[in-house]
Amino acid sequence: MNRKVVNLGLALFAATVLASGPAFADGDAAKGKKVFNKCKACHALEAGKNKIGPSLHGVMGRAAGAVEGFKYSKAMMESGLTWDEETLANYLEKPKKVVPGTKMAFAGLKKEKQRDDVIAYIKENAM
């Protein structure tokens, strides 16, 4: 097979893989601050500050249901989730679908860009 055709095929494959990567890598933390206004009635970014929901400080890489002193639903405690960008994006889209029985009353963020932005904001301000 022609080497140029093979190289072109590999380049197209690589471009497709890169383009299909997670969108949250493109989140805008400044815009995410505005989106977080929907979250801050129930969640704080400061360590040890639980509200209606648990503190989001250090959420990335943390097991679901692991914030000291917060009373989680049984469903969240047994979910087996570890929070990373992908898991958080899925949860923020439809919390009750990802963790049926969660206490979180929020219906979710329908717009992918808002989810990407708020995740970028949380990563920048809660770690």
Side-chain angles (χ1 to χ4, degrees), residues 58-127:
V59 69
M60 296 305 227
R62 183 172 69 209
V67 171
E68 192 82 23
F70 187 78
K71 185 165 173 39
Y72 290 93
S73 65
K74 183 177 179 184
M76 186 61 74
M77 295 293 295
E78 295 176 354
S79 70
L81 296 175
T82 297
W83 299 116
D84 59 21
E85 292 176 0
E86 182 178 5
T87 304
L88 196 53
N90 290 333
Y91 185 73
L92 289 174
E93 182 177 12
K94 292 188 178 181
K96 292 191 182 294
K97 180 180 178 187
V98 175
V99 181
T102 183
K103 292 187 333 184
M104 189 156 129
F106 185 67
L109 294 170
K110 303 304 175 212
K111 295 179 182 176
E112 182 177 2
K113 183 66 175 141
Q114 287 185 332
R115 294 189 304 271
D116 296 344
D117 292 345
V118 80
I119 290 168
Y121 177 71
I122 290 168
K123 285 178 62 178
E124 195 171 283
N125 293 281
M127 304 322 277

Short mmCIF file of all heavy atoms in Angstrom, two decimals, residues 58-127:
data_model
loop_
_atom_site.label_atom_id
_atom_site.label_comp_id
_atom_site.label_asym_id
_atom_site.label_seq_id
_atom_site.Cartn_x
_atom_site.Cartn_y
_atom_site.Cartn_z
N GLY A 58 -11.57 19.35 47.05
CA GLY A 58 -10.86 18.08 46.85
C GLY A 58 -11.70 16.99 46.21
O GLY A 58 -11.37 15.81 46.32
N VAL A 59 -12.78 17.37 45.53
CA VAL A 59 -13.70 16.37 44.98
C VAL A 59 -13.05 15.48 43.91
O VAL A 59 -13.34 14.29 43.85
CB VAL A 59 -15.00 17.03 44.44
CG1 VAL A 59 -14.74 17.86 43.20
CG2 VAL A 59 -16.07 15.99 44.18
N MET A 60 -12.17 16.04 43.09
CA MET A 60 -11.57 15.24 42.02
C MET A 60 -10.66 14.16 42.59
O MET A 60 -9.76 14.43 43.37
CB MET A 60 -10.78 16.14 41.07
CG MET A 60 -11.66 17.15 40.36
SD MET A 60 -13.02 16.37 39.49
CE MET A 60 -12.91 17.20 37.96
N GLY A 61 -10.96 12.94 42.25
CA GLY A 61 -10.21 11.79 42.74
C GLY A 61 -10.75 11.21 44.03
O GLY A 61 -10.24 10.20 44.52
N ARG A 62 -11.77 11.84 44.59
CA ARG A 62 -12.35 11.38 45.86
C ARG A 62 -13.46 10.37 45.60
O ARG A 62 -14.21 10.49 44.64
CB ARG A 62 -12.90 12.58 46.62
CG ARG A 62 -13.45 12.23 47.99
CD ARG A 62 -13.80 13.46 48.80
NE ARG A 62 -14.95 14.17 48.24
CZ ARG A 62 -15.16 15.48 48.36
NH1 ARG A 62 -14.30 16.24 48.99
NH2 ARG A 62 -16.22 16.02 47.85
N ALA A 63 -13.57 9.40 46.45
CA ALA A 63 -14.67 8.44 46.37
C ALA A 63 -15.98 9.14 46.74
O ALA A 63 -16.00 9.99 47.64
CB ALA A 63 -14.43 7.27 47.32
N ALA A 64 -17.05 8.81 46.06
CA ALA A 64 -18.36 9.37 46.38
C ALA A 64 -18.75 8.94 47.78
O ALA A 64 -18.49 7.81 48.20
CB ALA A 64 -19.39 8.88 45.37
N GLY A 65 -19.34 9.88 48.51
CA GLY A 65 -19.80 9.56 49.87
C GLY A 65 -18.70 9.60 50.91
O GLY A 65 -18.85 9.01 51.98
N ALA A 66 -17.61 10.32 50.64
CA ALA A 66 -16.45 10.26 51.54
C ALA A 66 -16.17 11.53 52.34
O ALA A 66 -15.18 11.57 53.06
CB ALA A 66 -15.20 9.89 50.72
N VAL A 67 -17.02 12.55 52.24
CA VAL A 67 -16.75 13.77 53.00
C VAL A 67 -17.12 13.54 54.45
O VAL A 67 -18.26 13.19 54.78
CB VAL A 67 -17.51 14.99 52.43
CG1 VAL A 67 -17.41 16.19 53.35
CG2 VAL A 67 -17.00 15.32 51.04
N GLU A 68 -16.15 13.75 55.30
CA GLU A 68 -16.32 13.58 56.75
C GLU A 68 -17.44 14.49 57.26
O GLU A 68 -17.49 15.68 56.95
CB GLU A 68 -15.01 13.94 57.44
CG GLU A 68 -14.95 13.54 58.90
CD GLU A 68 -14.59 12.08 59.09
OE1 GLU A 68 -13.98 11.48 58.21
OE2 GLU A 68 -14.93 11.56 60.17
N GLY A 69 -18.33 13.94 58.04
CA GLY A 69 -19.38 14.71 58.69
C GLY A 69 -20.61 14.99 57.84
O GLY A 69 -21.53 15.66 58.30
N PHE A 70 -20.65 14.51 56.60
CA PHE A 70 -21.84 14.72 55.78
C PHE A 70 -22.65 13.43 55.73
O PHE A 70 -22.09 12.35 55.56
CB PHE A 70 -21.49 15.16 54.35
CG PHE A 70 -22.70 15.53 53.56
CD1 PHE A 70 -23.32 16.75 53.75
CD2 PHE A 70 -23.27 14.62 52.69
CE1 PHE A 70 -24.47 17.09 53.06
CE2 PHE A 70 -24.43 14.94 51.99
CZ PHE A 70 -25.02 16.18 52.18
N LYS A 71 -23.96 13.55 55.88
CA LYS A 71 -24.84 12.38 55.86
C LYS A 71 -25.36 12.15 54.44
O LYS A 71 -26.24 12.86 53.96
CB LYS A 71 -26.01 12.57 56.83
CG LYS A 71 -26.89 11.34 56.95
CD LYS A 71 -27.79 11.45 58.15
CE LYS A 71 -28.81 10.36 58.28
NZ LYS A 71 -28.47 9.04 57.96
N TYR A 72 -24.77 11.19 53.78
CA TYR A 72 -25.12 10.85 52.41
C TYR A 72 -26.30 9.88 52.36
O TYR A 72 -26.57 9.16 53.32
CB TYR A 72 -23.94 10.17 51.71
CG TYR A 72 -22.79 11.08 51.43
CD1 TYR A 72 -21.74 11.19 52.32
CD2 TYR A 72 -22.73 11.81 50.26
CE1 TYR A 72 -20.65 12.02 52.06
CE2 TYR A 72 -21.65 12.64 49.98
CZ TYR A 72 -20.62 12.73 50.88
OH TYR A 72 -19.55 13.54 50.62
N SER A 73 -26.93 9.82 51.18
CA SER A 73 -27.94 8.80 50.95
C SER A 73 -27.24 7.43 50.87
O SER A 73 -26.05 7.34 50.55
CB SER A 73 -28.67 9.05 49.62
OG SER A 73 -27.77 8.92 48.53
N LYS A 74 -27.99 6.41 51.15
CA LYS A 74 -27.46 5.05 51.03
C LYS A 74 -27.01 4.80 49.59
O LYS A 74 -25.98 4.18 49.34
CB LYS A 74 -28.53 4.03 51.45
CG LYS A 74 -28.06 2.61 51.42
CD LYS A 74 -29.13 1.66 51.91
CE LYS A 74 -28.63 0.23 51.85
NZ LYS A 74 -29.65 -0.75 52.22
N ALA A 75 -27.78 5.33 48.63
CA ALA A 75 -27.46 5.14 47.22
C ALA A 75 -26.08 5.72 46.88
O ALA A 75 -25.29 5.09 46.17
CB ALA A 75 -28.53 5.79 46.35
N MET A 76 -25.79 6.91 47.39
CA MET A 76 -24.48 7.53 47.11
C MET A 76 -23.38 6.75 47.80
O MET A 76 -22.31 6.51 47.21
CB MET A 76 -24.47 8.99 47.58
CG MET A 76 -23.21 9.74 47.20
SD MET A 76 -22.90 9.85 45.42
CE MET A 76 -24.12 11.07 44.95
N MET A 77 -23.60 6.34 49.02
CA MET A 77 -22.60 5.58 49.77
C MET A 77 -22.25 4.26 49.08
O MET A 77 -21.11 3.80 49.15
CB MET A 77 -23.09 5.30 51.20
CG MET A 77 -23.26 6.54 52.05
SD MET A 77 -21.72 7.37 52.44
CE MET A 77 -20.91 6.15 53.45
N GLU A 78 -23.23 3.69 48.40
CA GLU A 78 -23.03 2.39 47.76
C GLU A 78 -22.76 2.50 46.25
O GLU A 78 -22.69 1.49 45.56
CB GLU A 78 -24.24 1.50 48.02
CG GLU A 78 -24.41 1.15 49.49
CD GLU A 78 -25.66 0.35 49.80
OE1 GLU A 78 -26.50 0.13 48.89
OE2 GLU A 78 -25.81 -0.07 50.97
N SER A 79 -22.62 3.73 45.76
CA SER A 79 -22.49 3.93 44.30
C SER A 79 -21.18 3.40 43.73
O SER A 79 -21.12 3.03 42.55
CB SER A 79 -22.62 5.42 43.96
OG SER A 79 -21.48 6.13 44.43
N GLY A 80 -20.12 3.39 44.52
CA GLY A 80 -18.83 2.94 44.02
C GLY A 80 -18.14 3.94 43.10
O GLY A 80 -17.12 3.62 42.49
N LEU A 81 -18.69 5.15 43.01
CA LEU A 81 -18.11 6.16 42.11
C LEU A 81 -16.87 6.79 42.72
O LEU A 81 -16.75 6.92 43.93
CB LEU A 81 -19.13 7.28 41.85
CG LEU A 81 -20.41 6.91 41.12
CD1 LEU A 81 -21.34 8.11 41.04
CD2 LEU A 81 -20.10 6.38 39.73
N THR A 82 -15.97 7.17 41.85
CA THR A 82 -14.85 8.04 42.20
C THR A 82 -14.98 9.23 41.28
O THR A 82 -15.12 9.08 40.07
CB THR A 82 -13.50 7.34 42.00
OG1 THR A 82 -13.44 6.22 42.88
CG2 THR A 82 -12.34 8.28 42.30
N TRP A 83 -14.96 10.43 41.85
CA TRP A 83 -15.19 11.65 41.07
C TRP A 83 -13.97 12.00 40.23
O TRP A 83 -12.90 12.22 40.74
CB TRP A 83 -15.56 12.81 41.99
CG TRP A 83 -16.81 12.55 42.77
CD1 TRP A 83 -16.93 12.44 44.12
CD2 TRP A 83 -18.13 12.34 42.24
NE1 TRP A 83 -18.24 12.19 44.46
CE2 TRP A 83 -18.99 12.12 43.33
CE3 TRP A 83 -18.66 12.32 40.96
CZ2 TRP A 83 -20.35 11.88 43.18
CZ3 TRP A 83 -20.02 12.08 40.80
CH2 TRP A 83 -20.85 11.86 41.90
N ASP A 84 -14.19 12.02 38.94
CA ASP A 84 -13.23 12.55 37.97
C ASP A 84 -14.04 13.39 36.99
O ASP A 84 -15.25 13.55 37.17
CB ASP A 84 -12.44 11.43 37.28
CG ASP A 84 -13.32 10.43 36.53
OD1 ASP A 84 -14.48 10.74 36.18
OD2 ASP A 84 -12.85 9.32 36.25
N GLU A 85 -13.41 13.96 35.99
CA GLU A 85 -14.12 14.84 35.07
C GLU A 85 -15.30 14.14 34.38
O GLU A 85 -16.40 14.69 34.29
CB GLU A 85 -13.17 15.42 34.03
CG GLU A 85 -12.17 16.39 34.64
CD GLU A 85 -11.14 16.89 33.64
OE1 GLU A 85 -11.19 16.49 32.46
OE2 GLU A 85 -10.29 17.69 34.05
N GLU A 86 -15.07 12.93 33.90
CA GLU A 86 -16.11 12.21 33.17
C GLU A 86 -17.28 11.85 34.09
O GLU A 86 -18.45 12.04 33.74
CB GLU A 86 -15.53 10.96 32.52
CG GLU A 86 -16.56 10.19 31.70
CD GLU A 86 -15.96 8.98 31.02
OE1 GLU A 86 -14.78 8.65 31.24
OE2 GLU A 86 -16.71 8.34 30.27
N THR A 87 -16.99 11.31 35.26
CA THR A 87 -18.04 10.92 36.20
C THR A 87 -18.83 12.13 36.65
O THR A 87 -20.06 12.10 36.71
CB THR A 87 -17.42 10.20 37.42
OG1 THR A 87 -16.65 9.10 36.95
CG2 THR A 87 -18.49 9.71 38.37
N LEU A 88 -18.13 13.21 36.96
CA LEU A 88 -18.80 14.43 37.39
C LEU A 88 -19.67 15.01 36.27
O LEU A 88 -20.79 15.44 36.50
CB LEU A 88 -17.76 15.45 37.86
CG LEU A 88 -18.26 16.63 38.68
CD1 LEU A 88 -19.10 16.18 39.87
CD2 LEU A 88 -17.10 17.47 39.15
N ALA A 89 -19.17 14.99 35.03
CA ALA A 89 -19.95 15.48 33.90
C ALA A 89 -21.23 14.67 33.73
O ALA A 89 -22.32 15.23 33.53
CB ALA A 89 -19.12 15.43 32.61
N ASN A 90 -21.13 13.36 33.82
CA ASN A 90 -22.31 12.50 33.71
C ASN A 90 -23.29 12.76 34.84
O ASN A 90 -24.50 12.86 34.63
CB ASN A 90 -21.91 11.02 33.69
CG ASN A 90 -21.21 10.63 32.42
OD1 ASN A 90 -21.41 11.22 31.37
ND2 ASN A 90 -20.36 9.63 32.52
N TYR A 91 -22.77 12.88 36.05
CA TYR A 91 -23.62 13.11 37.22
C TYR A 91 -24.31 14.47 37.12
O TYR A 91 -25.50 14.59 37.41
CB TYR A 91 -22.78 13.02 38.50
CG TYR A 91 -23.60 13.13 39.76
CD1 TYR A 91 -24.41 12.07 40.18
CD2 TYR A 91 -23.57 14.28 40.54
CE1 TYR A 91 -25.17 12.17 41.34
CE2 TYR A 91 -24.32 14.38 41.70
CZ TYR A 91 -25.13 13.33 42.09
OH TYR A 91 -25.88 13.43 43.23
N LEU A 92 -23.57 15.49 36.72
CA LEU A 92 -24.16 16.82 36.63
C LEU A 92 -25.22 16.92 35.54
O LEU A 92 -26.09 17.78 35.60
CB LEU A 92 -23.07 17.88 36.40
CG LEU A 92 -22.17 18.14 37.59
CD1 LEU A 92 -21.04 19.08 37.20
CD2 LEU A 92 -22.96 18.70 38.77
N GLU A 93 -25.15 16.06 34.56
CA GLU A 93 -26.17 16.06 33.51
C GLU A 93 -27.50 15.53 34.05
O GLU A 93 -28.55 16.13 33.85
CB GLU A 93 -25.73 15.22 32.31
CG GLU A 93 -26.74 15.24 31.19
CD GLU A 93 -26.29 14.46 29.97
OE1 GLU A 93 -25.30 13.70 30.04
OE2 GLU A 93 -26.94 14.61 28.92
N LYS A 94 -27.46 14.39 34.73
CA LYS A 94 -28.67 13.77 35.27
C LYS A 94 -28.32 13.02 36.55
O LYS A 94 -28.12 11.81 36.54
CB LYS A 94 -29.29 12.81 34.26
CG LYS A 94 -29.87 13.49 33.04
CD LYS A 94 -30.64 12.52 32.19
CE LYS A 94 -31.23 13.26 31.00
NZ LYS A 94 -32.00 12.37 30.15
N PRO A 95 -28.27 13.73 37.68
CA PRO A 95 -27.84 13.10 38.93
C PRO A 95 -28.65 11.85 39.29
O PRO A 95 -28.08 10.84 39.70
CB PRO A 95 -28.04 14.20 39.97
CG PRO A 95 -27.99 15.47 39.20
CD PRO A 95 -28.54 15.15 37.85
N LYS A 96 -29.95 11.90 39.16
CA LYS A 96 -30.78 10.77 39.58
C LYS A 96 -30.67 9.58 38.64
O LYS A 96 -31.00 8.46 39.02
CB LYS A 96 -32.23 11.22 39.74
CG LYS A 96 -32.38 12.18 40.92
CD LYS A 96 -33.82 12.45 41.26
CE LYS A 96 -33.96 13.43 42.38
NZ LYS A 96 -33.48 13.01 43.67
N LYS A 97 -30.19 9.81 37.42
CA LYS A 97 -29.95 8.69 36.50
C LYS A 97 -28.65 7.99 36.87
O LYS A 97 -28.57 6.77 36.84
CB LYS A 97 -29.89 9.19 35.06
CG LYS A 97 -29.65 8.09 34.06
CD LYS A 97 -29.61 8.61 32.64
CE LYS A 97 -29.33 7.47 31.68
NZ LYS A 97 -29.11 7.95 30.32
N VAL A 98 -27.63 8.78 37.23
CA VAL A 98 -26.33 8.20 37.56
C VAL A 98 -26.36 7.52 38.93
O VAL A 98 -25.79 6.45 39.10
CB VAL A 98 -25.22 9.28 37.49
CG1 VAL A 98 -23.88 8.73 37.95
CG2 VAL A 98 -25.10 9.81 36.06
N VAL A 99 -27.03 8.16 39.89
CA VAL A 99 -27.15 7.58 41.24
C VAL A 99 -28.63 7.61 41.63
O VAL A 99 -29.10 8.53 42.30
CB VAL A 99 -26.30 8.33 42.28
CG1 VAL A 99 -26.44 7.68 43.65
CG2 VAL A 99 -24.84 8.38 41.87
N PRO A 100 -29.39 6.60 41.18
CA PRO A 100 -30.79 6.54 41.57
C PRO A 100 -30.89 6.48 43.10
O PRO A 100 -30.20 5.71 43.74
CB PRO A 100 -31.30 5.24 40.94
CG PRO A 100 -30.34 4.95 39.83
CD PRO A 100 -29.01 5.50 40.31
N GLY A 101 -31.71 7.36 43.67
CA GLY A 101 -31.86 7.39 45.11
C GLY A 101 -30.99 8.44 45.78
O GLY A 101 -30.99 8.55 47.01
N THR A 102 -30.24 9.23 44.99
CA THR A 102 -29.43 10.30 45.57
C THR A 102 -30.33 11.33 46.26
O THR A 102 -31.47 11.53 45.85
CB THR A 102 -28.55 11.00 44.51
OG1 THR A 102 -27.74 11.98 45.15
CG2 THR A 102 -29.38 11.67 43.43
N LYS A 103 -29.80 11.98 47.28
CA LYS A 103 -30.55 13.05 47.96
C LYS A 103 -30.50 14.35 47.17
O LYS A 103 -31.28 15.26 47.43
CB LYS A 103 -29.98 13.31 49.36
CG LYS A 103 -30.20 12.18 50.32
CD LYS A 103 -29.80 12.48 51.76
CE LYS A 103 -28.76 13.49 52.03
NZ LYS A 103 -28.39 13.62 53.44
N MET A 104 -29.60 14.45 46.21
CA MET A 104 -29.46 15.69 45.46
C MET A 104 -30.72 15.95 44.64
O MET A 104 -31.07 15.19 43.75
CB MET A 104 -28.25 15.64 44.54
CG MET A 104 -27.95 16.97 43.90
SD MET A 104 -26.23 17.08 43.40
CE MET A 104 -26.40 17.61 41.73
N ALA A 105 -31.38 17.06 44.95
CA ALA A 105 -32.65 17.40 44.31
C ALA A 105 -32.46 18.09 42.97
O ALA A 105 -33.39 18.18 42.19
CB ALA A 105 -33.47 18.29 45.24
N PHE A 106 -31.27 18.57 42.69
CA PHE A 106 -30.99 19.30 41.46
C PHE A 106 -31.25 18.41 40.24
O PHE A 106 -30.77 17.28 40.18
CB PHE A 106 -29.54 19.79 41.49
CG PHE A 106 -29.14 20.66 40.34
CD1 PHE A 106 -29.70 21.91 40.19
CD2 PHE A 106 -28.21 20.22 39.42
CE1 PHE A 106 -29.33 22.73 39.12
CE2 PHE A 106 -27.82 21.02 38.37
CZ PHE A 106 -28.39 22.27 38.22
N ALA A 107 -31.98 18.93 39.26
CA ALA A 107 -32.34 18.15 38.07
C ALA A 107 -31.17 17.91 37.13
O ALA A 107 -31.15 16.92 36.41
CB ALA A 107 -33.47 18.84 37.32
N GLY A 108 -30.19 18.80 37.15
CA GLY A 108 -29.03 18.63 36.29
C GLY A 108 -28.79 19.81 35.39
O GLY A 108 -29.64 20.69 35.23
N LEU A 109 -27.61 19.82 34.78
CA LEU A 109 -27.24 20.83 33.79
C LEU A 109 -27.36 20.20 32.42
O LEU A 109 -26.59 19.31 32.08
CB LEU A 109 -25.80 21.32 34.02
CG LEU A 109 -25.52 22.07 35.31
CD1 LEU A 109 -24.01 22.25 35.50
CD2 LEU A 109 -26.23 23.42 35.30
N LYS A 110 -28.32 20.64 31.64
CA LYS A 110 -28.58 20.03 30.33
C LYS A 110 -27.53 20.38 29.29
O LYS A 110 -27.27 19.62 28.38
CB LYS A 110 -29.97 20.44 29.82
CG LYS A 110 -31.09 20.07 30.76
CD LYS A 110 -31.11 18.60 31.10
CE LYS A 110 -32.17 18.29 32.13
NZ LYS A 110 -31.80 17.20 33.01
N LYS A 111 -26.93 21.57 29.42
CA LYS A 111 -25.96 22.03 28.41
C LYS A 111 -24.57 21.53 28.74
O LYS A 111 -24.02 21.80 29.81
CB LYS A 111 -25.96 23.56 28.34
CG LYS A 111 -27.29 24.11 27.84
CD LYS A 111 -27.26 25.62 27.79
CE LYS A 111 -28.61 26.15 27.33
NZ LYS A 111 -28.64 27.62 27.38
N GLU A 112 -23.98 20.80 27.78
CA GLU A 112 -22.65 20.23 27.97
C GLU A 112 -21.62 21.32 28.27
O GLU A 112 -20.75 21.13 29.12
CB GLU A 112 -22.25 19.46 26.72
CG GLU A 112 -20.91 18.77 26.82
CD GLU A 112 -20.56 17.96 25.60
OE1 GLU A 112 -21.33 17.94 24.63
OE2 GLU A 112 -19.49 17.34 25.63
N LYS A 113 -21.71 22.45 27.60
CA LYS A 113 -20.76 23.54 27.82
C LYS A 113 -20.81 24.04 29.26
O LYS A 113 -19.77 24.31 29.86
CB LYS A 113 -21.04 24.68 26.84
CG LYS A 113 -20.07 25.83 26.94
CD LYS A 113 -18.67 25.43 26.51
CE LYS A 113 -17.75 26.65 26.52
NZ LYS A 113 -16.42 26.34 27.00
N GLN A 114 -22.01 24.13 29.83
CA GLN A 114 -22.12 24.55 31.23
C GLN A 114 -21.46 23.53 32.15
O GLN A 114 -20.78 23.90 33.12
CB GLN A 114 -23.58 24.74 31.63
CG GLN A 114 -24.21 25.97 31.05
CD GLN A 114 -25.62 26.17 31.56
OE1 GLN A 114 -26.32 25.21 31.93
NE2 GLN A 114 -26.05 27.42 31.59
N ARG A 115 -21.65 22.25 31.86
CA ARG A 115 -21.01 21.21 32.68
C ARG A 115 -19.49 21.31 32.57
O ARG A 115 -18.78 21.26 33.57
CB ARG A 115 -21.50 19.82 32.27
CG ARG A 115 -22.96 19.58 32.57
CD ARG A 115 -23.39 18.15 32.37
NE ARG A 115 -23.13 17.59 31.06
CZ ARG A 115 -23.96 17.65 30.01
NH1 ARG A 115 -25.13 18.27 30.13
NH2 ARG A 115 -23.65 17.09 28.87
N ASP A 116 -19.00 21.49 31.36
CA ASP A 116 -17.55 21.62 31.14
C ASP A 116 -17.00 22.82 31.91
O ASP A 116 -15.96 22.73 32.56
CB ASP A 116 -17.24 21.80 29.66
CG ASP A 116 -17.63 20.62 28.80
OD1 ASP A 116 -17.87 19.52 29.36
OD2 ASP A 116 -17.72 20.79 27.58
N ASP A 117 -17.73 23.94 31.83
CA ASP A 117 -17.27 25.17 32.48
C ASP A 117 -17.27 25.04 34.00
O ASP A 117 -16.31 25.44 34.66
CB ASP A 117 -18.14 26.36 32.05
CG ASP A 117 -17.96 26.73 30.57
OD1 ASP A 117 -16.99 26.27 29.94
OD2 ASP A 117 -18.82 27.48 30.05
N VAL A 118 -18.32 24.48 34.56
CA VAL A 118 -18.38 24.38 36.02
C VAL A 118 -17.34 23.38 36.54
O VAL A 118 -16.76 23.59 37.60
CB VAL A 118 -19.82 24.07 36.53
CG1 VAL A 118 -20.18 22.60 36.40
CG2 VAL A 118 -19.98 24.53 37.97
N ILE A 119 -17.07 22.35 35.79
CA ILE A 119 -16.02 21.40 36.19
C ILE A 119 -14.66 22.11 36.17
O ILE A 119 -13.86 21.95 37.10
CB ILE A 119 -16.03 20.14 35.30
CG1 ILE A 119 -17.28 19.31 35.62
CG2 ILE A 119 -14.75 19.32 35.49
CD1 ILE A 119 -17.54 18.19 34.62
N ALA A 120 -14.41 22.91 35.15
CA ALA A 120 -13.16 23.68 35.10
C ALA A 120 -13.06 24.62 36.30
O ALA A 120 -12.00 24.75 36.92
CB ALA A 120 -13.07 24.47 33.79
N TYR A 121 -14.16 25.25 36.66
CA TYR A 121 -14.18 26.16 37.81
C TYR A 121 -13.91 25.41 39.11
O TYR A 121 -13.11 25.85 39.95
CB TYR A 121 -15.52 26.88 37.88
CG TYR A 121 -15.66 27.79 39.07
CD1 TYR A 121 -14.94 28.98 39.16
CD2 TYR A 121 -16.48 27.46 40.13
CE1 TYR A 121 -15.05 29.81 40.26
CE2 TYR A 121 -16.61 28.28 41.25
CZ TYR A 121 -15.89 29.46 41.30
OH TYR A 121 -15.99 30.28 42.39
N ILE A 122 -14.56 24.27 39.27
CA ILE A 122 -14.35 23.47 40.49
C ILE A 122 -12.89 23.01 40.57
O ILE A 122 -12.27 23.11 41.63
CB ILE A 122 -15.33 22.27 40.53
CG1 ILE A 122 -16.76 22.77 40.76
CG2 ILE A 122 -14.91 21.26 41.61
CD1 ILE A 122 -17.82 21.70 40.53
N LYS A 123 -12.34 22.54 39.46
CA LYS A 123 -10.95 22.09 39.47
C LYS A 123 -10.00 23.22 39.84
O LYS A 123 -9.02 23.01 40.55
CB LYS A 123 -10.58 21.53 38.09
CG LYS A 123 -11.14 20.16 37.81
CD LYS A 123 -10.79 19.68 36.44
CE LYS A 123 -9.30 19.55 36.27
NZ LYS A 123 -8.90 19.03 34.95
N GLU A 124 -10.30 24.42 39.37
CA GLU A 124 -9.42 25.56 39.63
C GLU A 124 -9.58 26.11 41.05
O GLU A 124 -8.65 26.69 41.60
CB GLU A 124 -9.75 26.66 38.61
CG GLU A 124 -8.71 27.74 38.51
CD GLU A 124 -8.97 28.67 37.34
OE1 GLU A 124 -8.69 28.28 36.21
OE2 GLU A 124 -9.49 29.78 37.60
N ASN A 125 -10.74 25.92 41.66
CA ASN A 125 -11.03 26.60 42.93
C ASN A 125 -11.30 25.69 44.13
O ASN A 125 -11.50 26.19 45.22
CB ASN A 125 -12.23 27.53 42.74
CG ASN A 125 -11.89 28.67 41.83
OD1 ASN A 125 -11.26 29.63 42.24
ND2 ASN A 125 -12.25 28.54 40.56
N ALA A 126 -11.29 24.40 43.92
CA ALA A 126 -11.64 23.51 45.03
C ALA A 126 -10.60 22.42 45.27
O ALA A 126 -10.91 21.41 45.86
CB ALA A 126 -13.01 22.88 44.77
N MET A 127 -9.40 22.65 44.83
CA MET A 127 -8.39 21.61 45.00
C MET A 127 -7.34 22.02 45.99
O MET A 127 -7.12 23.09 46.36
CB MET A 127 -7.75 21.28 43.67
CG MET A 127 -8.74 20.85 42.60
SD MET A 127 -10.14 19.83 43.09
CE MET A 127 -9.49 18.23 43.09
#
